[in-house]
Amino acid sequence: MSAPFTVSVPVRYRDLDPLDHVNHAVFATYLEIARTDYLESVVDIAAEEISFVIANLEIDYERPIVKGDEPEVSLRVSRLGDSSCTMTYEIRVGDDVAATAETTMVYIDPETKRPAPFPDEIREPIAAYEGLETMA
Amino acid sequence: MSAPFTVSVPVRYRDLDPLDHVNHAVFATYLEIARTDYLESVVDIAAEEISFVIANLEIDYERPIVKGDEPEVSLRVSRLGDSSCTMTYEIRVGDDVAATAETTMVYIDPETKRPAPFPDEIREPIAAYEGLETMA
Amino acid sequence: MSAPFTVSVPVRYRDLDPLDHVNHAVFATYLEIARTDYLESVVDIAAEEISFVIANLEIDYERPIVKGDEPEVSLRVSRLGDSSCTMTYEIRVGDDVAATAETTMVYIDPETKRPAPFPDEIREPIAAYEGLETMA
Amino acid sequence: MSAPFTVSVPVRYRDLDPLDHVNHAVFATYLEIARTDYLESVVDIAAEEISFVIANLEIDYERPIVKGDEPEVSLRVSRLGDSSCTMTYEIRVGDDVAATAETTMVYIDPETKRPAPFPDEIREPIAAYEGLETMA
């Protein structure tokens, strides 16, 4: 099995809160950085063409991230359904796991603004990258 | 059973993303607004004395929030353990549920920086407000 | 001269930085809250139809804003040019001035995406509200 | 004259607003990224020890930054006073200038919380790096 898609996320001072930790809501933004990079890199979708909505987000926080850390976010598409998919994430600082997470996203037809099956130009590159079956 | 603690959250233009929706990560910030107001109002903890970490966050997104909406966040402490508690949330726009959510928080002793049982001055007002047993 | 347009901005925990102050960049967001409310209220422009770009921003910081403060932002259109205008702002906490600021905005034609003269439906309500001459 | 201190700032999807541009307030955060990196790198001040307040911020916006751009922020300390200093910035995307900016910062004594002259361990590395006179 190939290595998951991984990005480095530089910690910004603005990410910190009064506890000197990266604020917990910013973890969701770190996941989004990995996800938008994945969509651009694997599926060739630019940010302004993103046509997904997040249906569910779950994050387990294992340890704080502080300024000076160099977090990496890795993600896999762990389920590729008809019109939705699930991504699983790990945020690591060195060898430590800072958080694990999962998002479920639903594809929205840009015309009708309603959930719709993934078009092939989205489904196929994800399936190929992840080594997943492309059944609906 | 009394009404849950509820706050109104004005939507900021900066909360929006290119889809013209409140960005999904900002929902976690809306929960935090309700949570910090609850801690200040029910438990009398000021923001600079907050000594909790979030261990788990889960959000189910039901419908987008847009500029012009007037969201309200209500929360209950649904579980009050020895050193951790669970809060459940609902974000509504009018009669519609925009999201439901849950966070688990762990109390951190400000001296040792380690998880510790809730001191009575935190446990008791929460138990009283929520009508919960104060067992561990 | 009538009172300037004024909005209350609740301070969010997420607005704070490790110094326990509202981060200085968030002051620009507080100005934006007043500005978008002004455009919606005085000119009847919804957020998704905003067609201005900011050309210049200047903020003088007078005192920090902390959680528990209840800041108010007031703004006036101090100059209404042909295709640009200048807004001046004051952020107060009670009787104290926390910051003064100025932004210059340029109108962008939604079709051509180029700077263009303000259409009358924008110029006239601003001029009327501010008691300004409507010369170009 | 040596090259100014320069950092690359990856654009996050969350930096964008409904116009598909990096929101104008986020430019102030991009400046802060350069400034905190400078303080850490040139002066060896960690984020949690920052003891400056921003007294003035001015940004001239020249062109929008969009997702896919790779902005660089360069900064110089253009004035090093007794207890305050001025930094000038340029944000570039390739050969284009996206913005120029200036901030004035005041040193705060961590004990008294009042403005105070820069201690030598801050003044001297800045003066050396910038080739400035170290007069008060």
Side-chain angles (χ1 to χ4, degrees):
Chain A
M1 200 172 185
S2 61
F5 185 85
T6 300
V7 299
S8 292
V9 178
V11 175
R12 299 177 177 179
Y13 182 74
R14 180 77 274 266
D15 296 342
L16 305 178
D17 67 19
L19 295 174
D20 289 349
H21 299 159
V22 171
N23 180 264
H24 82 290
V26 175
F27 280 62
T29 295
Y30 287 11
L31 305 180
E32 186 177 65
I33 292 169
R35 191 167 59 245
T36 50
D37 276 14
Y38 180 97
L39 291 174
E40 190 179 327
S41 163
V42 173
V43 195
D44 198 22
I45 300 178
E48 63 274 21
E49 289 158 18
I50 285 176
S51 189
F52 292 92
V53 293
I54 303 291
N56 178 269
L57 164 71
E58 181 160 14
I59 305 178
D60 282 298
Y61 299 87
E62 306 284 345
R63 49 150 279 181
I65 300 176
V66 299
K67 192 87 168 65
D69 286 343
E70 298 182 346
E72 292 198 314
V73 185
S74 60
L75 84 81
R76 280 191 185 282
V77 174
S78 49
R79 187 186 61 82
L80 180 56
D82 184 40
S83 60
S84 75
C85 69
T86 302
M87 289 175 163
T88 57
Y89 307 80
E90 196 173 66
I91 306 180
R92 282 186 316 280
V93 175
D95 291 334
D96 291 340
V97 174
T100 56
E102 201 171 275
T103 56
T104 299
M105 305 195 314
V106 175
Y107 179 72
I108 300 296
D109 184 303
E111 302 292 314
T112 66
K113 310 285 181 192
R114 306 288 310 161
F118 288 114
D120 285 350
E121 63 266 29
I122 291 179
R123 173 184 304 283
E124 283 171 7
I126 294 177
Y129 185 85
E130 301 288 346
L132 290 168
E133 293 284 328
T134 64
M135 46 77 234
Chain B
M1 200 171 185
S2 59
F5 185 86
T6 301
V7 299
S8 293
V9 178
V11 176
R12 300 176 176 179
Y13 183 75
R14 180 77 276 267
D15 297 342
L16 306 178
D17 67 18
L19 294 174
D20 289 349
H21 300 160
V22 171
N23 181 264
H24 81 289
V26 175
F27 280 61
T29 294
Y30 286 11
L31 305 180
E32 186 178 65
I33 291 169
R35 191 167 60 244
T36 51
D37 276 14
Y38 180 98
L39 291 174
E40 191 179 328
S41 163
V42 173
V43 196
D44 198 22
I45 300 178
E48 62 275 21
E49 290 158 19
I50 284 177
S51 188
F52 292 91
V53 293
I54 303 290
N56 178 269
L57 163 72
E58 180 161 14
I59 305 177
D60 281 299
Y61 300 88
E62 305 285 345
R63 50 150 278 180
I65 300 176
V66 299
K67 193 87 170 62
D69 286 343
E70 298 182 346
E72 292 198 314
V73 185
S74 59
L75 84 81
R76 281 190 184 283
V77 174
S78 49
R79 188 186 61 82
L80 180 57
D82 184 40
S83 61
S84 74
C85 69
T86 302
M87 289 175 164
T88 57
Y89 308 79
E90 196 173 67
I91 307 180
R92 280 187 316 281
V93 175
D95 290 334
D96 290 341
V97 174
T100 57
E102 201 172 272
T103 56
T104 299
M105 306 196 313
V106 175
Y107 180 72
I108 300 295
D109 184 303
E111 301 293 313
T112 66
K113 310 284 180 193
R114 305 288 310 162
F118 289 112
D120 286 350
E121 63 266 31
I122 291 179
R123 174 184 305 281
E124 284 171 5
I126 294 176
Y129 185 85
E130 301 288 345
L132 290 168
E133 294 283 327
T134 64
M135 47 79 238
Chain C
M1 198 171 184
S2 60
F5 185 85
T6 301
V7 298
S8 292
V9 179
V11 176
R12 299 177 177 180
Y13 182 75
R14 179 79 273 267
D15 295 342
L16 306 177
D17 69 17
L19 295 174
D20 290 349
H21 299 159
V22 171
N23 181 265
H24 82 290
V26 175
F27 281 61
T29 295
Y30 286 11
L31 306 180
E32 185 178 63
I33 291 169
R35 189 167 62 243
T36 52
D37 275 15
Y38 180 97
L39 291 174
E40 190 180 327
S41 163
V42 173
V43 195
D44 197 23
I45 299 179
E48 62 273 22
E49 289 158 19
I50 285 176
S51 190
F52 292 93
V53 294
I54 304 290
N56 178 268
L57 164 72
E58 180 160 14
I59 304 177
D60 282 299
Y61 299 87
E62 304 286 344
R63 50 149 279 182
I65 301 176
V66 299
K67 192 84 168 67
D69 285 344
E70 299 182 345
E72 292 198 314
V73 185
S74 59
L75 83 82
R76 279 191 188 279
V77 174
S78 48
R79 187 187 59 83
L80 180 57
D82 185 39
S83 60
S84 74
C85 68
T86 301
M87 289 175 163
T88 57
Y89 308 79
E90 194 173 66
I91 306 180
R92 281 186 317 279
V93 175
D95 290 335
D96 290 341
V97 173
T100 56
E102 201 172 274
T103 57
T104 299
M105 306 195 312
V106 175
Y107 181 72
I108 300 296
D109 183 304
E111 303 292 313
T112 65
K113 311 285 180 193
R114 304 288 311 162
F118 289 113
D120 286 349
E121 63 266 31
I122 292 179
R123 174 184 305 280
E124 284 172 6
I126 294 176
Y129 185 86
E130 303 288 345
L132 290 168
E133 293 284 328
T134 63
M135 46 77 235
Chain D
M1 199 171 184
S2 61
F5 185 85
T6 301
V7 299
S8 293
V9 178
V11 176
R12 299 177 178 181
Y13 182 74
R14 179 78 274 266
D15 296 342
L16 305 178
D17 68 18
L19 293 174
D20 290 349
H21 299 160
V22 171
N23 181 264
H24 81 290
V26 175
F27 281 62
T29 295
Y30 286 11
L31 305 180
E32 185 179 63
I33 292 169
R35 189 167 62 245
T36 52
D37 275 14
Y38 180 96
L39 290 174
E40 191 181 326
S41 163
V42 173
V43 195
D44 198 22
I45 300 178
E48 63 274 21
E49 289 158 18
I50 285 176
S51 190
F52 293 92
V53 293
I54 303 291
N56 178 268
L57 164 71
E58 181 161 13
I59 305 178
D60 282 298
Y61 300 87
E62 305 286 343
R63 51 149 277 182
I65 301 176
V66 298
K67 192 85 169 65
D69 284 344
E70 299 182 344
E72 293 199 313
V73 185
S74 59
L75 84 81
R76 281 191 186 279
V77 174
S78 49
R79 187 187 59 85
L80 180 57
D82 185 38
S83 60
S84 75
C85 69
T86 301
M87 290 176 163
T88 57
Y89 308 80
E90 195 173 66
I91 306 180
R92 281 187 317 280
V93 174
D95 290 336
D96 290 341
V97 174
T100 57
E102 200 171 274
T103 57
T104 299
M105 305 196 314
V106 175
Y107 180 72
I108 301 296
D109 183 304
E111 303 291 315
T112 66
K113 311 285 181 193
R114 305 288 311 161
F118 289 112
D120 287 349
E121 63 265 33
I122 292 179
R123 174 184 305 281
E124 284 171 7
I126 294 176
Y129 185 85
E130 302 288 346
L132 291 167
E133 292 285 327
T134 64
M135 47 76 234

